[in-house]
Amino acid sequence: MTAVDAGPETTTELRFPAGFRWGTATAAYQIEGAAKEDGRTPSIWDTFSRTPGKVRNGDTGDIAADHYHRMREDVALMKQLGVTDYRFSIAWPRVQPTGRGPAVQKGLDFYRRLTDELLAADIRPVATLYHWDLPQELEDAGGWPQRETAQRFGDYAGIMAEALGDRVATWTTLNEPWCAAFLGYGSGVHAPGRTSASASLRAAHHFNLAHGWAAQLLLHAALPQASEISLTLNLHAVRPLTNSEADVDAARRIDAVGNRIFLEPVFHGRLPEDLVRDTAAVTDWSFVQDGDLEVISTPIDSLGINYYSPTVVGAGSSAAPSPWAGAEEHVRFLPAPGPRTAMDWPVDPDGLYELLTRLRDDLPGVPLVITENGAAYDDYADPSGDVHDPERVDYLRAHLTAVHRAIADGADVRGYFLWSLLDNFEWAYGYSKRFGIVHVDFATQRRTVKDSARWYADVIARGGLGG
């Protein structure tokens, strides 16, 4: 393990508000490994990654970054970096293997040890209840398109509140339900790999309902008064190619099925009327029952935002199967200009500023947190063992500058969680993409701090960007 040196002190040019939360983020299936240990059963990602052709190189999360066995080493790294908060996810099949019934104590004990280790290091635990690893048994029973899955999620939230309620500072119900619903059940590029527009819309509603039931349960649990309840969305910064009526309408359609399908039920207790019209040929929305929207709009303490790049659209059509239910025949996607990451995603910090100022206007009084932001580059250890990643440093600096500008313009942004602490299993890309500020040699599991981690430690120590 390489120690972190924050470097010499210089004058701060962009200082963030006092109490701003500086964090890193990970997800259970991407880093934990130990896929068959201590009672854990398969999730949909275990099954999907074993399906030929679904994940690059046939990679799986069986070992990943071996965080299950190296947790203390990883928390020590975070302490050296000086992070104030750590956002992790809990593997549902590790603590409730079938998605029903009592918890497995060995699974709960791992998260008890993790949160205790974080608290001992003076790091706030920020727990995400769902980061895409549905117990396979629940998928076999119908998965997220079925209402019962949302009910089971509420029970699971209760288990976790009882086990960790005295330790966790912030509870995030769901991470990126858009990806889980529309990539998992619409285009099929994520687990469980289904390709049904109607199933994706049902799944989206049941994710909203699961969030609401979990939020209600957490609100009524015996949690410390300072505990917070949140939801993380990967909101799309949608731009029309031109100001033509057709291109503007294409952007409206994507905003409806990409953003407002979650924002309006959660914060306003309603379905977007244009979304219902756009998807009338796919579903009649009869799966929305009386009282659902009241549950979904249970008040929460903050909104998490995951941002990587903008979305540029124009009038046209998309290839099938498409994740954009109701928009496939009306929208085409175009590349945004500018430099690109190893994921071939455009680097565009203005998109983050646009999202934050939009939410400032649309959701006044709702605190915002950047729960994921980062970039994959082709990092490698040089002959001396160092990992230099200047492109990532430039990316992070530009996006933090955008966050600072949004705060200066009135956005109530309370924190920033860099994705990701560790190189990890990057879903359908397997181990071919590296997002971490800590390099992981997957053959030996050796951790090496990258230049970007040292740079981030300096930002945290200053409370802002230095000159």
Side-chain angles (χ1 to χ4, degrees), residues 3 86 88 94 128 219 249 275 317 322 335 386 436:
Y86 173 52
F88 61 95
R94 192 177 296 287
T128 299
L219 280 170
D249 187 65
L275 173 67
S317 61
S322 166
D386 295 327

Side-chain angles (χ1 to χ4, degrees), residues 23 35 84 90 106 110 173 233 249 332 413 432:
T84 63
I90 295 161
K106 287 185 177 180
F110 170 72
T173 55
L233 302 176
D249 187 65
R332 62 190 175 103
V413 185
S432 68

Side-chain angles (χ1 to χ4, degrees), residues 9-32:
E9 184 175 355
T10 60
T11 303
T12 298
E13 290 186 344
L14 298 179
R15 186 172 295 278
F16 283 72
F20 193 81
R21 298 173 184 172
W22 297 101
T24 56
T26 64
Y29 189 73
Q30 293 183 270
I31 67 166
E32 282 183 3

Side-chain angles (χ1 to χ4, degrees), residues 205-397:
H205 175 68
H206 294 140
F207 274 119
N208 280 338
L209 192 58
H211 158 74
W213 274 330
Q216 287 190 342
L217 188 146
L218 290 166
L219 280 170
H220 291 97
L223 301 179
Q225 188 173 1
S227 297
E228 300 173 0
I229 301 171
S230 187
L231 166 70
T232 283
L233 302 176
N234 59 308
L235 297 174
H236 301 80
V238 187
R239 299 170 183 162
L241 179 63
T242 71
N243 290 326
S244 72
E245 182 178 349
D247 286 354
V248 169
D249 187 65
R252 177 202 60 76
R253 287 176 178 272
I254 296 306
D255 185 57
V257 75
N259 296 332
R260 289 183 284 112
I261 191 172
F262 301 107
L263 290 173
E264 292 200 23
V266 170
F267 292 101
H268 302 297
R270 66 185 183 229
L271 287 172
E273 293 181 2
D274 58 334
L275 173 67
V276 174
R277 291 194 304 269
D278 292 345
T279 57
V282 178
T283 181
D284 60 4
W285 292 86
S286 59
F287 47 81
V288 180
Q289 297 185 13
D290 290 344
D292 283 3
L293 291 167
E294 182 179 357
V295 171
I296 292 167
S297 58
T298 299
I300 57 176
D301 298 300
S302 64
L303 174 63
I305 301 144
N306 293 356
Y307 172 82
Y308 293 94
S309 59
T311 302
V312 180
V313 298
S317 61
S318 303
S322 166
W324 303 98
E328 307 97 319
E329 297 178 1
H330 305 274
V331 180
R332 62 190 175 103
F333 293 83
L334 302 113
R340 310 186 87 76
T341 70
M343 297 287 288
D344 199 31
W345 295 346
V347 178
D348 192 329
D350 287 343
L352 180 54
Y353 174 83
E354 293 164 12
L355 271 181
L356 294 174
T357 51
R358 169 193 174 167
L359 294 168
R360 172 203 64 193
D361 298 337
D362 290 356
L363 303 175
V366 177
L368 308 174
V369 178
I370 310 302
T371 39
E372 287 184 26
N373 177 239
Y377 289 104
D378 295 325
D379 309 321
Y380 61 92
D382 68 16
S384 65
D386 295 327
V387 181
H388 305 296
D389 55 344
E391 292 173 309
R392 180 173 291 106
V393 170
D394 290 344
Y395 178 100
L396 296 172
R397 180 186 292 111

Side-chain angles (χ1 to χ4, degrees), residues 412-453:
D412 184 9
V413 185
R414 304 285 181 90
Y416 176 90
F417 288 75
L418 189 158
W419 185 271
S420 176
L421 174 68
L422 302 169
D423 290 337
N424 56 34
F425 174 85
E426 188 49 42
W427 306 116
Y429 292 92
Y431 296 100
S432 68
K433 305 296 181 186
R434 294 182 177 270
F435 275 89
I437 55 172
V438 175
H439 182 274
V440 177
D441 181 329
F442 293 109
T444 64
Q445 295 297 334
R446 175 179 171 79
R447 274 79 162 132
T448 302
V449 171
K450 302 178 186 180
D451 287 352
S452 57

Side-chain angles (χ1 to χ4, degrees), residues 84-102:
T84 63
D85 293 58
Y86 173 52
R87 177 176 177 254
F88 61 95
S89 78
I90 295 161
W92 190 351
R94 192 177 296 287
V95 300
Q96 195 189 30
T98 66
R100 299 179 177 85

Side-chain angles (χ1 to χ4, degrees), residues 132-198:
W132 307 353
D133 45 2
L134 182 71
Q136 181 61 45
E137 190 164 317
L138 289 184
E139 173 60 23
D140 293 342
W144 284 106
Q146 297 300 315
R147 188 180 184 88
E148 185 185 358
T149 304
Q151 296 170 331
R152 298 283 74 76
F153 183 78
D155 296 342
Y156 157 62
I159 288 172
M160 297 315 306
E162 182 177 353
L164 299 181
D166 60 338
R167 296 167 168 88
V168 169
T170 299
W171 291 93
T172 301
T173 55
L174 306 171
N175 176 80
E176 297 187 356
W178 185 88
C179 290
F182 292 98
L183 300 182
Y185 293 92
S187 65
V189 298
H190 277 193
R194 294 204 231 169
T195 54
S196 166
S198 62

